[in-house]
Amino acid sequence: GKPRVVVVGGGAGGATAARYIAKDSKGKIDVTLIEPTRMYYTCFFSNLYLGGFKEIDDLGHSYGGLAAGGVNVVHDWATGVDRDAKTVALAGGGSVPYDKLILSPGIDFVDGAVEGWDLSAQNAMPHAYKGGSQTELLKAQLMAMPEGGTFAMVAPPNPYRCPPGPYERVSMVAHYLKVNNPTAKIIVADPKAKFSKQALFQEGWANHYEGMVDWIGEDFGGGNVSVDPNAMTVTIDGEETSVDVCNVIPAMKAGRIAELAGVTDGNWAPVHAADMSSKADGDIYVLGDAASQGDMPKSGFSANSQAKVCANAVRGALTGSKVFPAKFSNTCWSLIDTNDGVKVGATYEATEEKIAKVDGFISATGESADLRRATYEESEGWYAGITADMFG
Ligand code: FAD
């Protein structure tokens, strides 16, 4: 019969890989995608939803386009991988055989990363670092804040998905509060001494939201933090504060199925840069946030870029089609306030050792309003283009 590819996880990496293999193999490969949710809500642009620039429906993408493109979409959880039998077990029972298995399960949280918080506290203190209901919950809590209230964020340690994500979120929360609750305050407890696009964000916070954002970095005890979800308090370096909203973004690791498949080493799954194949098993590939690959940040753009390299390599391995040298790219845009967009990005190539950065760029402080608006408009085009590339 035809060679079989199974993809676990229909997000940025998995949807792209499934779509490209089905499309480019023109029916020569059987592609099955395993994904529990019927609608994928992007984390990218979810901060713009918090700020009031997007509706939740703008972020949702169905799997109908993939099905129409020839992908067999199975809505279920993968619960295990039998690497000898080459099968993936499903929560609903039964199993799916594969010749090549692609894992793109995104992230899970490291247990005990923030003292006082675990998954059972995610309703009182949402992470909103997976898309959909968590994002909506955080927005509802933001809107329900009392006048002059306090919004706290516990930021994650490196490495984590979307390096500028927490700081774009601070910006969008500040935008919402400036309009709706201008005497409110934001405090950020951060275990890092510095963060992505820091100069750009701090310039923007000073320009647009003067006095509203208090960022407490590692040097000031920002990593020495505990929370109490019942009392709604945050304790930073011994000082307890009552807060109205607490967005806890814990330390991250590869989605659990990568660990169950036995392809992780520590928190992440090491891969070969040339084709994204696991260093533990040549018939398993790991894409996106879950992979330990080298220099690329964990982003939707990166996952999409890695998925295309992987799809090309998997087709080549199964059907003998031409395999092109691996090239990758990424750009992370962030919105600081209305029409004030900034970006950071790079191109990459595969070396023996890792995905290695070739060339990069970053927005500068003090740029003109016109340039910032053009950067924001570029991000709108990017979102439309990349979600079409992922979901058809
Ligand atoms: P995901 O997209 O998370 O997909 C994983 C999928 O796997 C999910 O659909 C999940 O349901 C499924 N899954 C997990 N386990 C199983 C299992 N056992 N069985 C079956 N299915 C499973 N990136 C950008 O490029 N630009 C941005 O502007 C940007 N902004 C962001 C803002 C925020 C607030 C956040 C949180 C992230 C942002 N990102 C951004 C990062 C981006 O969302 C992720 O890097 C990207 O989604 C990673 O893709 P992935 O395929 O690894 O995982």
Side-chain angles (χ1 to χ4, degrees), residues 18-186:
R19 183 168 167 270
Y20 270 75
I21 293 170
K23 175 168 78 68
D24 294 340
S25 71
K26 300 188 172 65
K28 288 208 201 78
I29 299 175
D30 216 53
V31 183
T32 297
L33 174 68
I34 303 168
E35 163 62 51
T37 67
R38 264 129 180 111
M39 195 75 154
Y40 177 82
Y41 287 91
T42 59
C43 283
F44 25 112
F45 273 23
S46 67
N47 291 325
L48 277 67
Y49 159 73
L50 295 177
F53 295 88
K54 296 283 164 206
E55 301 295 325
I56 194 73
D57 288 346
D58 297 335
L59 307 178
H61 304 271
S62 79
Y63 291 95
L66 288 178
V71 176
N72 173 30
V73 181
V74 175
H75 289 299
D76 204 344
W77 287 95
T79 53
V81 175
D82 183 333
R83 279 163 49 185
D84 297 321
K86 297 180 84 172
T87 57
V88 178
L90 300 178
S95 66
V96 190
Y98 67 83
D99 295 300
K100 296 286 191 184
L101 173 63
I102 299 174
L103 303 177
S104 195
I107 52 117
D108 275 311
F109 300 110
V110 174
D111 286 335
V114 176
E115 196 188 326
W117 192 94
D118 63 28
L119 268 186
S120 72
Q122 72 170 2
N123 270 23
M125 295 187 168
H127 51 79
Y129 236 67
K130 297 187 182 190
S133 50
Q134 276 279 304
T135 317
E136 289 185 275
L137 176 62
L138 185 64
K139 173 87 182 241
Q141 293 183 353
L142 172 64
M143 291 171 74
M145 270 175 68
E147 195 184 322
T150 301
F151 181 105
M153 173 188 282
V154 179
N158 291 320
Y160 61 95
R161 75 168 16 164
C162 195
Y167 312 99
E168 181 186 52
R169 177 172 292 172
V170 166
S171 309
M172 290 291 93
V173 166
H175 172 84
Y176 176 88
L177 293 173
K178 185 169 80 170
V179 176
N180 297 286
N181 190 350
T183 56
K185 292 266 176 294
I186 301 171

Side-chain angles (χ1 to χ4, degrees), residues 229-376:
N230 296 314
M232 281 305 285
T233 56
V234 179
T235 302
I236 303 169
D237 218 20
E239 194 181 319
E240 187 181 278
T241 307
S242 287
V243 300
D244 299 291
V245 179
C246 189
N247 173 208
V248 176
I249 311 174
M252 295 167 207
K253 60 179 183 180
R256 174 121 172 91
I257 192 69
E259 191 182 328
L260 293 173
V263 295
T264 51
D265 179 6
N267 285 340
W268 309 102
V271 295
H272 297 287
D275 60 0
M276 303 301 292
S277 63
S278 163
K279 289 191 175 170
D281 185 327
D283 290 322
I284 299 182
Y285 300 74
V286 185
L287 305 178
D289 294 351
S292 167
Q293 33 72 18
D295 295 349
M296 295 188 87
K298 298 182 186 301
S299 77
F301 197 138
S302 294
N304 170 263
S305 181
Q306 292 160 11
K308 292 184 209 176
V309 167
C310 175
N312 182 249
V314 165
R315 270 200 314 122
L318 294 176
T319 67
S321 62
K322 184 167 165 47
V323 178
F324 298 95
K327 295 247 182 297
F328 308 87
S329 57
N330 176 62
T331 301
C332 288
W333 287 270
S334 303
L335 186 61
I336 298 178
D337 198 352
T338 309
N339 288 323
D340 191 0
V342 293
K343 62 179 172 179
V344 59
T347 56
Y348 304 84
E349 65 185 11
T351 66
E352 275 296 305
E353 186 204 345
K354 62 173 185 175
I355 298 183
K357 182 172 167 179
V358 178
D359 252 326
F361 57 87
I362 184 166
S363 298
T365 53
E367 284 172 346
S368 72
D370 284 350
L371 180 52
R372 289 298 176 86
R373 176 196 286 265
T375 302
Y376 169 62

